[in-house]
Amino acid sequence: MMDIYGEISSLKSEHGALILAHNYCVGAVQDIADFVGDSLELSRSAASCGAAVIVFCGVRFMAETAKILSPDSIVLHVNEFAGCPMADMADVSAIAEYRRLHPETVLVAYVNTTAACKTQVDICCTSGNAEQVIASIPADKEILFLPDANLGRNLSEKLGRKMSLWPGYCPVHNRILPELVLAARAAHPEAELLVHPECLSAVVQLADHALSTGGMLRHVRQSEKQEFIIGTESGILHRMRKENPGKRFYTVAPEPLCPNMKKICLEDVLYALRNLEPRIELDADTMSRARIPIERMLAIKS
Ligand code: 13P
Ligand code: SF4
């Protein structure tokens, strides 16, 4: 009898499937994936892979982005209950109303938004390319950044660019408080402190670097430092430890865990490959309108 790894591998070949996983997935899921990355890297991978079936291990907005960029593929969102609460903090009708009231404002949507919300905005960004996206907007234009007020504020402070901010936030990163970060610093005085730009501005100001998950992974590979405090969802430590066996990694306590990313398990991947369900289904109009701001983002060099 085949074990779960054997069955996943044989169903993958049978269906011409590619498994994509986010850096926050549990280690067992990352280890069976063909590609593990941050939101930007996963979007690029979905756009270029040409696979008949994309098995997506991440939260819903990421799987929707994969479907929008690869509309001819069957995109399986292996755990349909894995959503992103921040993405649900922006509502399509409220964005449309903002647009009606502020027709000259450029609407920049973090990729952590629903496909429906993306139909209402001018350009998307991820934490991996947000600086370049904001820099591409003419200086005389007003900007609304949505839905993550922390990321928007951090960008605004770094780039010296005024922006209106939607009042959304990531519940996981919002709980990484300055006093917790200072306690981690005191416990590991030699360590470099890396945080995600979804953290509070007071936390970003304490950090050595604020980087996307992909940016953190590149940074620790290249750094001469041996110890790192990681201020983001702790699933990322799996890859960090695997790729840097001699280096030491610490989380901020209490350990930041995204309950939605943690829902995704190997059994979900197996179920999805056996049944070719659950699929991301979006109507053609939503996909073609949501594709515009995503493609504008992907056209920007970062
Ligand atoms: P990254 O694009 O940096 O992987 O971040 C995605 C995310 O949801 C962070 O909470
Ligand atoms: Fe959403 Fe936060 Fe989870 Fe990222 S960590 S998927 S922003 S809830």
Side-chain angles (χ1 to χ4, degrees), residues 256-287:
L257 288 168
C258 174
N260 285 284
M261 289 285 187
K262 271 24 225 195
K263 286 176 188 163
I264 300 157
C265 62
L266 279 184
E267 286 74 12
D268 293 333
V269 176
L270 179 60
Y271 178 93
L273 278 165
R274 275 186 185 156
N275 300 287
L276 295 184
E277 293 285 349
R279 296 184 191 195
I280 294 283
E281 308 278 11
L282 295 167
D283 67 72
D285 182 53
T286 299
M287 285 212 278

Side-chain angles (χ1 to χ4, degrees), residues 23-293:
N23 289 322
Y24 293 159
C25 284
V26 295
V29 169
Q30 293 192 28
D31 289 345
I32 51 115
D34 296 292
F35 181 77
V36 184
D38 68 14
S39 309
L40 181 60
E41 293 160 345
L42 291 170
S43 305
R44 290 205 170 115
S45 174
S48 62
C49 73
V53 176
I54 296 175
V55 180
F56 203 98
C57 303
V59 291
R60 181 172 171 97
F61 78 81
M62 297 176 179
E64 283 186 351
T65 306
K67 178 68 187 174
I68 292 164
L69 291 172
S70 194
D72 298 329
S73 306
I74 292 174
V75 176
L76 303 173
H77 183 213
V78 300
N79 188 316
E80 61 191 328
F81 302 106
C84 169
M86 184 212 282
D88 295 330
M89 290 178 192
D91 162 54
V92 62
S93 54
I95 301 173
E97 179 63 2
Y98 191 98
R99 161 129 277 170
R100 195 181 66 73
L101 296 172
H102 306 86
E104 300 300 324
T105 299
V106 178
L107 269 50
V108 181
Y110 193 24
V111 74
N112 301 38
T113 39
T114 63
C117 288
K118 288 184 176 84
T119 65
Q120 301 297 319
V121 304
D122 296 298
I123 189 162
C124 288
C125 72
T126 73
S127 55
N129 62 11
E131 289 179 28
Q132 291 84 349
V133 167
I134 300 296
S136 75
I137 299 167
D140 60 339
K141 288 281 186 190
E142 298 275 335
I143 297 175
L144 169 70
F145 190 86
L146 68 118
D148 187 2
N150 286 342
L151 176 58
R153 190 171 299 107
N154 290 325
L155 285 165
S156 181
E157 286 169 359
K158 181 157 187 194
L159 303 174
R161 180 87 189 246
K162 232 174 107 282
M163 299 195 276
S164 299
L165 305 175
W166 197 268
Y169 61 93
C170 163
V172 180
H173 289 89
N174 234 35
R175 277 188 215 117
I176 303 176
L177 301 175
E179 53 270 35
L180 304 177
V181 165
L182 287 170
R185 275 256 200 233
H188 308 289
E190 299 302 318
E192 197 169 36
L193 172 63
L194 310 181
V195 303
H196 197 276
E198 286 176 14
C199 289
L200 295 161
S201 152
V203 165
V204 167
Q205 283 166 28
L206 292 171
D208 295 305
H209 301 281
L211 296 164
S212 69
T213 60
M216 285 188 196
L217 283 153
R218 272 189 298 283
H219 181 87
V220 299
R221 274 198 300 271
Q222 289 157 8
S223 173
E224 305 270 280
K225 289 266 187 182
Q226 295 302 307
E227 291 184 66
F228 303 86
I229 301 163
I230 304 300
T232 193
E233 212 279 345
S234 68
I236 194 173
L237 271 74
H238 177 73
R239 235 184 111 183
M240 282 182 173
R241 291 188 170 124
K242 219 164 129 177
E243 293 176 357
N244 305 277
K247 298 185 178 178
R248 288 187 294 287
F249 300 96
Y250 313 106
T251 62
V252 174
E255 187 178 348
L257 288 168
C258 174
N260 285 284
M261 289 285 187
K262 271 24 225 195
K263 286 176 188 163
I264 300 157
C265 62
L266 279 184
E267 286 74 12
D268 293 333
V269 176
L270 179 60
Y271 178 93
L273 278 165
R274 275 186 185 156
N275 300 287
L276 295 184
E277 293 285 349
R279 296 184 191 195
I280 294 283
E281 308 278 11
L282 295 167
D283 67 72
D285 182 53
T286 299
M287 285 212 278
S288 64
R289 289 164 60 209
R291 191 174 300 122
I292 298 168

